[in-house]
Amino acid sequence: MRHESHLIEFLIMMRTAIEPKNVLVVDDEEEMRIALKEALSRAGHKVFTAGNGEEGLKAFEEKSPEIIISDMRMPRMNGLDLLRAIRERKSEAPFVLITAYGAVDDAVEAMKEGASDYILKPFSADTLDELFRRLFNGADEARPVSLKKPGVEPSPAKKKFQGRVIVSVNDRLQQTLDIARRVAPSRSTVLVHGESGTGKELVARFIHENSDRSDGPFVAVNCAALPESLLESELFGHEKGSFTGAIARKTGKFELADGGTLLLDEVTEMDPQLQAKLLRVLQENEIDRVGGAHPVPINVRVIATTNRDIKQAVTEGKFREDLYFRLNVIPLYLPPLRERTGDIAALVGHFVEKFNALMGKALEGLDDEAMQALERHSWRGNVRELENVMERAVLLSSGPLIKVADLMLDIVKSPDVSAATPAAGDELAPGVTVAQMEKKLIMKTLESVQGNRTRAAESLGVSIRTLRNKLNEYRMDNGL
C-alpha cells in the first residue's frame, strides 16, 4: 500500500543536524519525488530528482550528488541496475534504496552490491532523519565542536556537548553521568543498559566527547538493524572478490572508528559466531576483513548498549559469557522516565525551548492540567516518546500555554498498546489459528510504527532476529 499522499505531512517535520548535502532522488512515482524533495529541501539539503533509472544516471553524471536515494522497482532501469552503473563509475557516494516488504531480499542483495542502506515503505520523518545521521555520522560528526566555555559550567539539569544536551535533575542519573565522565579518558569498554528511548546513544556520545578521543570519529552501528550475513562485513569490512557481489574493498566500522569510539547498539542481537570474532577484536586490537589475508591493527574504544536483560541472555546461552565480561568493564544503567518523573518538568522546558526555536513560536510552557497529564503518563517510549509528544504539542498549540488537548495523549497511544488492542473486525473468532492471529498482530504492529522493525520487535517483546525470521516465513507462505 502506498502512502505518498501523506509523506509531505510526515516528512516536512524532519529535523537533522547534518550539514546540508546534494541529494539525488530517483523514483517513478511523482508524489514520492515531490514529498522527498519537499522534506529534504526543508531540512536544508539541495535536491535533484529523476523519474527513472536512466534519468537518474544522467543526473548523477551531471550533478555529482553526495547521496542517492532510489526506489528499487522502476521501469527501464531499476534501482539495482542504477546502483551497479554508479558503482562502475567508481563512485562511493552513499546509495539508499526505497523498498516494500516484498522486496526486502532484493534490497539485501543490493547491499552486497555496494548499497549503503535501505528503508521500507511506508516510512516516517524519524526514519529519514536517522538515515542521514547514520550515513554521515563518520563524516560530519567526526569533527566535534565543543560548546563548553572557559569558566562556565552548564546547569545541573543540562549537560551540553557537541550540540547535544542531557537534561536531568535525577540523583540516580546524575551519578551515572558522573561515572561516565570519570571513566571517559580511559580506553575501558562500557556497557550501557536501559530501555529504548532512555538515551543510551546520547550517553555514549557524552563519554566520547569527554574523552581524549573527542577529536576522532564517533561511529555507531545498530547490530539489530542488519541481517547476520551483512553485519560481519559492516563491522570488519571485506576485500574485493571475497564473496559474490564484492566488487570493491569495503572499509568496516572498526576501521572507520580508528582513533575514536565505536558504538555497538543493541549488541545482544549479534549472532554467536560473530560474538566470538568481536571478542578476539577486543582482546587483540586487530580485525580481519572478510576475505583478508592479514589482520589490520586498530585503536578503537568500544561502547555497547542493550535494552535487554543481558545476564539472562548469558544464562540462556544466547550471549557469550566471556564477551559479556569483556564488555561489562564499566556498566552503566539508565533508569526509565517513569522512575524519574522529577525530570519531566525539566525535559518539558527544554523541549518547548527547542521546538519554539525550530518552529518560530514563543510558547511559555504548559498549563497545570497538561503538566499533570504528562506526569501521570506511563512513558513506555521514555524520553524519546516525551520529545515526540512535545514536538506535536508545540506544533498544534495556539498558545501561549500548551493545553492537555494539544498533547493528544488520549488519542495517540503507544505502539504496543494500539497493536495489542483488537480493532473493529479484529476480534477473536472460532476457526482462527494462533499462527493467523500472530501474523495479524505482527503486521499491525509494523504498520503502527511505520515499518520500523526495531520498534516493532520491542513492542512485541521479541528479538529483531525473531521478527525478521517471521517476516521471511510470511513471504515464503505468500510465494514472494
Side-chain angles (χ1 to χ4, degrees):
M1 179 178 180
R2 291 192 176 272
H3 292 255
E4 284 85 355
S5 60
H6 301 291
L7 275 176
I8 293 178
E9 178 182 351
F10 291 133
L11 296 183
I12 58 176
M13 296 171 62
M14 185 184 72
R15 55 194 186 277
T16 176
I18 297 299
E19 180 181 344
K21 305 293 180 185
N22 292 330
V23 185
L24 173 60
V25 173
V26 186
D27 199 295
D28 60 322
E29 293 288 334
E30 184 178 8
E31 285 186 336
M32 176 66 88
R33 293 198 305 272
I34 293 173
L36 285 169
K37 182 173 183 178
E38 183 76 11
L40 293 166
S41 297
R42 291 196 178 214
H45 304 293
K46 186 174 183 179
V47 184
F48 310 99
T49 63
N52 58 57
E54 292 180 353
E55 292 179 6
L57 185 58
K58 182 178 180 181
F60 168 80
E61 293 173 338
E62 294 175 352
K63 306 297 185 181
S64 299
E66 295 169 87
I67 176 173
I68 302 97
I69 302 176
S70 172
D71 192 20
M72 170 63 85
R73 294 183 176 177
M74 299 181 292
R76 300 169 66 178
M77 177 185 280
N78 63 28
L80 185 56
D81 291 335
L82 177 60
L83 167 64
R84 287 171 177 151
I86 287 177
R87 291 294 180 250
E88 286 174 359
R89 285 156 175 76
K90 309 301 181 184
S91 171
E92 295 183 357
F95 191 105
V96 179
L97 285 160
I98 302 172
T99 187
Y101 286 116
V104 169
D105 290 340
D106 292 338
V108 172
E109 182 63 28
M111 293 186 74
K112 294 180 180 179
E113 297 273 359
S116 305
D117 212 331
Y118 65 89
I119 49 180
L120 295 175
K121 299 177 184 177
F123 51 88
S124 67
D126 285 343
T127 301
L128 200 59
D129 190 19
E130 179 184 351
L131 172 72
F132 269 69
R133 288 191 291 108
R134 184 168 64 249
L135 290 177
F136 295 104
N137 182 51
D140 289 331
E141 295 176 358
R143 301 180 296 276
V145 179
S146 176
L147 297 183
K148 300 174 185 175
K149 296 180 180 179
V152 178
E153 289 295 324
S155 160
K158 291 188 179 184
K159 289 182 171 52
K160 295 186 176 182
F161 59 101
Q162 199 175 324
R164 297 173 176 83
V165 181
I166 296 178
V167 180
S168 179
V169 294
N170 179 264
D171 288 342
R172 190 177 183 186
L173 185 53
Q174 290 291 331
Q175 291 172 0
T176 297
L177 294 176
D178 182 58
I179 294 172
R181 185 188 296 104
R182 282 188 280 137
V183 303
S186 73
R187 190 178 171 174
S188 299
T189 53
V190 179
L191 182 59
V192 187
H193 307 252
E195 295 179 7
S196 293
T198 50
K200 298 187 294 295
E201 182 173 342
L202 203 60
V203 170
R205 292 179 183 274
F206 176 78
I207 293 172
H208 172 74
E209 178 65 15
N210 283 275
S211 74
D212 55 5
R213 298 171 174 265
S214 60
D215 289 332
F218 179 96
V219 177
V221 56
N222 189 333
C223 299
L226 288 172
E228 298 167 14
S229 58
L230 294 181
L231 185 55
E232 180 178 5
S233 173
E234 188 72 12
L235 287 173
F236 308 131
H238 64 248
E239 296 289 352
K240 179 179 179 180
S242 56
F243 54 83
T244 302
I247 60 176
R249 171 187 284 183
K250 175 183 174 64
T251 302
K253 298 297 187 183
F254 268 98
E255 287 185 83
L256 290 175
D258 194 41
T261 303
L262 177 66
L263 170 63
L264 297 176
D265 197 20
E266 305 307 341
V267 71
T268 46
E269 301 302 327
M270 186 177 291
D271 179 79
Q273 290 186 344
L274 205 51
Q275 292 176 26
K277 295 182 179 181
L278 174 60
L279 178 63
R280 180 182 179 281
V281 171
L282 295 176
Q283 291 173 337
E284 305 297 333
N285 296 318
E286 60 184 26
I287 57 104
D288 292 305
R289 298 192 192 105
V290 177
H294 305 286
V296 179
I298 55 166
N299 175 18
V300 175
R301 202 267 185 84
V302 172
I303 301 176
T305 73
T306 180
N307 61 4
R308 304 202 177 277
D309 187 338
I310 193 169
K311 290 184 179 179
Q312 182 178 347
V314 170
T315 301
E316 295 173 352
K318 297 178 180 178
F319 198 81
R320 293 179 62 106
E321 186 175 40
D322 48 5
L323 178 58
Y324 165 66
F325 289 133
R326 189 65 183 81
L327 290 172
N328 200 46
V329 176
I330 308 294
L332 298 177
Y333 173 71
L334 304 186
L337 187 56
R338 62 182 174 274
E339 293 180 9
R340 51 186 182 102
T341 53
D343 279 346
I344 291 178
L347 286 163
V348 164
H350 168 68
F351 290 138
V352 169
E353 179 183 345
K354 173 182 176 178
F355 293 121
N356 268 342
L358 287 174
M359 300 178 189
K361 291 199 169 188
L363 301 183
E364 298 174 7
L366 283 69
D367 65 17
D368 291 342
E369 185 182 4
M371 181 59 73
Q372 291 171 8
L374 293 180
E375 291 174 344
R376 290 194 302 267
H377 192 64
S378 60
W379 300 117
R380 290 181 177 271
N382 293 293
V383 179
R384 184 186 296 120
E385 181 187 0
L386 175 59
E387 180 177 12
N388 292 340
V389 168
M390 293 309 303
E391 179 179 4
R392 180 171 62 242
V394 172
L395 181 66
L396 295 176
S397 178
S398 55
L401 293 177
I402 293 172
K403 300 184 180 300
V404 69
D406 300 323
L407 302 174
M408 297 178 65
L409 292 176
D410 57 337
I411 298 175
V412 181
K413 298 183 182 297
S414 300
D416 56 332
V417 176
S418 61
T421 304
D426 285 344
E427 293 84 0
L428 294 174
V432 177
T433 67
V434 172
Q436 289 171 330
M437 290 304 299
E438 176 191 68
K439 179 177 179 180
K440 181 176 288 189
L441 177 61
I442 288 175
M443 301 313 293
K444 287 183 70 65
T445 303
L446 278 166
E447 182 181 355
S448 73
V449 296
Q450 293 80 47
N452 187 311
R453 287 174 294 171
T454 300
R455 290 176 57 193
E458 292 166 356
S459 297
L460 292 164
V462 300
S463 71
I464 189 68
R465 186 172 294 110
T466 297
L467 178 59
R468 188 184 298 122
N469 290 339
K470 287 292 181 183
L471 293 175
N472 287 334
E473 179 183 313
Y474 300 150
R475 281 195 292 274
M476 288 188 290
D477 288 345
N478 293 331
L480 298 176

